[in-house]
Amino acid sequence: MRSRVLVTGAYGFVGRHVARAVARQGAEVIAIGHGSWSRDEWRDWGIAQWHPTDVTIDALATYGGAPEAVFHCAGSGSVAFSLSHPYQDYQRTVATTHSVLEYIRTSHSDAKLVLPSSAGVYGVATVLPTSVEAPLNPVSPYGLHKKLAEDLCRSYGRHFGVRSAIVRLFSIYGTGLRKQLLWDACAKLTLGEARFGGTGEETRDWLHIEDAAALMILAADHGSARCPVVNGGTGEATSIKAVLHTIADELGAQVDLDFSGQARPGDPAHYQAEITEALAWGWKPTRRWSDETRAYVRWFKEGAH
């Protein structure tokens, strides 16, 4: 494992799990991002340095030491936010990626960059499961900005030799995530509310955060100027209705699910990853969505809310 790594967005859900996982492997972890961790917390997690700052070239240049890998987990994580705040979403995703690439180009050219992108770059998939060779046709500012961040990585590889790898994450979940479907559903069903958007037949490819972190760490070994891309999913499509039924069952909620039929803007109906490239790296998902969804509900019931 690399001796020193830099993790941006380390207070976010993906970033904090990557930081923890790479620290468990013995790396010295320097974390950048906004949050309210105490010094004891980040030391307990094995983080050597914590910098609560924006991701800019000047900020990146302030910490000591040359990283062997940079996990750029800072960036927007919400389609809805990108629709209501497109400029801020661009700054969080595209501008920060450009800063990291320029930092590597000018200061630490030996470092490899791992960029967590999104299935949102595909837009409305015409073929399922979706391969990394599928056309990129994002249908939201969120997806477009992820694609632009990918394009920057490819450009810096082609023109400047910066080595990177891209992991297109599908639907990430796990205990500790206080937003998105599982969190919202637990909150609603606990109150006896059972009306949800869409039809319930929409499908997602659910990847547990621990499996996602393992794939991202492995991606650092494959970073190159060619900028390889893998899908971060399980290859299994699961309906929203099936997930909600599992949540309701674990909660003991006696409700009849009701769906509005109204799709959320910028939200394609179906996602399913083709994961041939990730499997070829020697990675495979280890967590089943049904087991981990029930674990999430138990975490919620224990007082997470």
Side-chain angles (χ1 to χ4, degrees):
M1 188 58 227
R2 289 161 179 77
S3 61
R4 178 180 288 127
V5 303
L6 174 64
V7 180
T8 70
Y11 191 76
F13 188 61
V14 173
R16 90 182 69 139
H17 279 83
V18 170
R20 289 177 183 176
V22 77
R24 286 197 297 265
Q25 293 186 2
E28 177 187 352
V29 178
I30 293 88
I32 289 179
H34 292 287
S36 57
W37 287 345
S38 69
R39 186 177 296 271
D40 288 341
E41 278 181 302
W42 57 256
R43 281 183 174 168
D44 287 346
W45 289 0
I47 295 174
Q49 298 179 42
W50 169 249
H51 301 268
T53 184
D54 293 328
V55 180
T56 65
I57 297 173
D58 290 341
L60 290 166
T62 59
Y63 93 90
E68 296 178 48
V70 180
F71 296 91
H72 179 43
C73 301
S76 175
S78 168
V79 171
F81 181 84
S82 79
L83 289 165
S84 59
H85 298 81
Y87 178 75
Q88 291 91 327
D89 191 89
Y90 176 92
Q91 291 293 319
R92 291 181 180 183
T93 298
V94 185
T96 60
T97 301
H98 206 172
S99 292
V100 171
L101 286 163
E102 188 66 1
Y103 163 75
I104 293 173
R105 182 186 75 85
T106 58
S107 300
H108 299 294
S109 59
D110 289 337
K112 293 182 179 180
L113 170 64
V114 177
L115 178 72
S117 184
S118 167
V121 300
Y122 296 119
V124 179
T126 57
V127 177
L128 295 173
T130 303
S131 79
V132 296
E133 301 299 330
L136 305 185
N137 187 27
V139 294
S140 68
Y142 168 83
L144 174 61
H145 297 158
K146 294 294 186 184
K147 178 183 178 298
L148 291 174
E150 289 191 13
D151 289 342
L152 282 170
C153 291
R154 284 185 278 269
S155 175
Y156 267 68
R158 182 168 59 253
H159 296 294
F160 309 116
V162 173
R163 295 176 294 171
S164 63
I166 294 168
V167 180
R168 291 177 182 154
L169 298 174
F170 280 61
S171 295
I172 302 301
Y173 73 103
T175 57
L177 183 61
R178 288 177 165 84
K179 62 179 181 178
Q180 300 177 357
L181 178 66
L182 271 63
W183 176 262
D184 294 342
C186 285
K188 277 188 173 183
L189 292 169
T190 297
L191 297 174
E193 300 174 12
R195 186 168 177 78
F196 296 89
T199 65
E201 301 303 327
E202 298 86 357
T203 57
R204 295 291 181 263
D205 190 331
W206 298 94
L207 181 67
H208 191 268
I209 185 59
E210 295 291 346
D211 286 333
L215 179 56
M216 286 186 58
I217 292 171
L218 183 59
D221 294 331
H222 295 269
S224 76
R226 296 192 305 268
C227 190
V229 179
V230 297
N231 282 331
T234 64
E236 177 182 353
T238 304
S239 72
I240 300 297
K241 186 178 291 184
V243 173
L244 293 175
H245 277 302
T246 300
I247 293 171
D249 181 67
E250 188 66 26
L251 283 171
Q254 303 298 315
V255 295
D256 293 322
L257 298 177
D258 181 35
F259 296 93
S260 68
Q262 300 281 324
R264 292 192 307 176
D267 217 358
H270 301 289
Y271 280 123
Q272 183 182 4
E274 214 298 321
I275 59 173
T276 301
E277 291 78 9
L279 295 175
W281 283 357
W283 171 89
K284 64 179 180 179
T286 61
R287 311 290 186 100
R288 289 197 55 80
W289 74 264
S290 53
D291 296 335
E292 297 300 335
T293 297
R294 291 185 181 277
Y296 184 98
V297 175
R298 291 193 294 271
W299 166 76
F300 183 90
K301 289 167 67 176
E302 287 167 2
H305 56 298

